[in-house]
Amino acid sequence: MAVLYFALSGLDLLDGLSELDKEERQHIINWIYSLQILPGNDRDEQACAGFRGGTTLASCRGESSCDTVSQLDCGHITMTYTALASLIILGDDLSRVERPAVMAHVAALQCPDGSFFSTRGGSENDMRFMYCAAAICYILQDFSAINTTSATKYILNSMSYEGAMGQGTHLEAHGGSSYCAIATLHLLGKLDSSLSRTQRERLVRWLVERQSGGGLQGRPNKPPDTCYAFWIGATLQILGALDYLDTAALRQFVLSTQDPITGGLAKYPNSNPDGLHTYLGISGLSLLRKDNLKPVDPALNISQQALSHLHQLHKNISKNSTVPC
């Protein structure tokens, strides 16, 4: 599911989705919905809802429906986020999303400290999955599944002595974690009320100092990496401070990782490209408003055109449906 999201959103930013005809789009939409777990009314089953990451993970492969939901066949919060984002990018109206079940799934994953597990039954719990929870709730315009007070407290407690956020309390500050933290606060509408002016200034300074050799590094004393063109660039964009970077040097670094034969962007120059770094490199370039790329929304990491489609869905639901929007 995540690989599909990288491909679709990358095509969207490149204005290449027109290469997919109506039948191909519908086939992809149907595949995404086929990975949605449809539970009954049982509370434990509801907690296992959401979207799977792929067909190989389904406990009832080859069947049109399942009578029961296996506790070992649960949705994953990252896959639920990327599934919903992909549906929006494809122009779907989200009418087949089992909203109450998805909300129950998100609510079941929040930990007492405010962070989120990735899936039911135990997993890592950190800032990444908190971001996915916030993105899901924003897309569906229902924040009832999140205890926003404890989530905000977890984010603020993750701010290290360096001025940026780690994956949790007392952990090293990291560019990816800082993005997840700031994007979450933004999506929850808590950014301006949560950070003091001094905290914002220290965070911006730490982020800007990550520019090294033209590119951006995730932590001090690490080599620059293509994906941080988005993670750090988007964080600065949300904070209104992207212009503090040497954007020309950043663009040159990202383009230096492109494979001249196969295409695609790599983690580092002279290494092999992959889907994740290709997409995040494109998203990072989009933030710079160069190379004729569609503008990307820094908080949801979809094109602003796709975000406009989402906002129209929110308006339509609020007017014509009893579903909370």
Side-chain angles (χ1 to χ4, degrees):
M1 190 71 75
V3 176
L4 173 65
Y5 159 72
F6 295 147
L8 289 175
S9 200
L11 280 173
D12 189 21
L13 294 179
L14 291 164
D15 201 18
L17 278 182
S18 59
E19 299 296 321
L20 298 176
D21 60 31
K22 184 177 180 180
E23 184 177 344
E24 288 173 317
R25 283 177 181 245
Q26 193 59 51
H27 175 74
I28 297 171
I29 289 171
N30 290 340
W31 182 83
I32 294 171
Y33 277 117
S34 75
L35 296 177
Q36 182 177 203
I37 296 175
L38 303 175
N41 295 323
D42 182 88
R43 184 174 180 179
D44 287 338
E45 288 188 5
Q46 292 273 344
C48 286
F51 286 78
R52 305 178 183 94
T55 54
T56 56
L57 302 176
S59 62
C60 52
R61 292 192 301 274
E63 300 179 24
S64 59
S65 63
C66 296
D67 293 330
T68 59
V69 176
S70 168
Q71 291 187 355
L72 300 179
D73 181 23
C74 289
H76 188 289
I77 200 166
T78 302
M79 302 308 153
T80 301
Y81 156 59
T82 52
L84 294 175
S86 296
L87 289 170
I88 294 163
I89 292 164
L90 290 167
D92 184 68
D93 62 4
L94 305 183
S95 61
R96 287 189 276 170
V97 174
E98 292 290 329
R99 293 168 179 260
V102 170
M103 288 296 101
H105 175 59
V106 172
L109 296 178
Q110 189 164 22
C111 304
D113 65 1
S115 64
F116 281 79
F117 287 123
S118 65
T119 189
R120 187 78 186 281
S123 69
E124 296 173 294
N125 59 294
D126 54 48
M127 204 69 71
R128 297 169 298 173
F129 308 126
M130 178 180 289
Y131 166 74
C132 292
I136 292 166
C137 291
Y138 184 89
I139 290 170
L140 298 181
Q141 282 294 281
D142 183 353
F143 294 93
S144 62
I146 298 180
N147 182 327
T148 56
T149 300
S150 61
T152 301
K153 184 177 180 180
Y154 182 84
I155 290 172
L156 296 178
N157 286 342
S158 76
M159 183 173 277
S160 78
Y161 71 92
E162 300 161 276
M165 287 79 169
Q167 290 283 37
T169 307
H170 305 312
L171 298 180
E172 180 183 12
H174 190 280
S177 304
S178 296
Y179 168 78
C180 291
I182 295 303
T184 296
L185 291 175
H186 175 78
L187 293 171
L188 295 178
K190 300 288 187 180
L191 181 58
D192 291 338
S193 61
S194 297
L195 297 182
S196 68
R197 178 178 177 180
T198 299
Q199 287 174 319
R200 288 177 72 113
E201 289 176 350
R202 293 186 70 222
L203 174 59
V204 167
R205 176 181 290 276
W206 186 92
L207 292 166
V208 172
E209 288 177 346
R210 301 286 63 76
Q211 187 157 27
S212 171
L216 290 163
Q217 58 188 189
R219 293 174 288 167
N221 302 313
K222 294 289 185 178
D225 178 335
T226 301
C227 67
Y228 293 105
F230 178 78
W231 300 131
I232 290 180
T235 310
L236 286 168
Q237 178 82 329
I238 294 170
L239 294 169
L242 183 62
D243 290 341
Y244 287 125
L245 294 177
D246 183 340
T247 56
L250 177 57
R251 176 180 179 272
Q252 186 58 43
F253 172 82
V254 173
L255 293 178
S256 73
T257 70
Q258 186 172 23
D259 191 299
I261 298 175
T262 64
L265 302 170
K267 185 180 180 75
Y268 311 120
N270 301 315
S271 56
N272 295 323
D274 60 77
L276 181 149
H277 287 90
T278 296
Y279 173 60
L280 292 175
I282 290 170
S283 295
L285 291 175
S286 173
L287 291 169
L288 306 182
R289 299 298 179 92
K290 298 178 180 179
D291 301 293
N292 296 317
L293 295 167
K294 285 184 181 179
V296 66
D297 176 69
L300 276 184
N301 199 2
I302 57 175
S303 71
Q304 290 186 8
Q305 180 179 323
L307 181 64
S308 296
H309 169 65
L310 175 63
H311 287 164
Q312 187 60 49
L313 288 180
H314 293 164
K315 291 180 181 179
N316 292 342
I317 292 173
S318 63
K319 290 180 181 178
N320 305 318
S321 175
T322 58
V323 176
C325 67

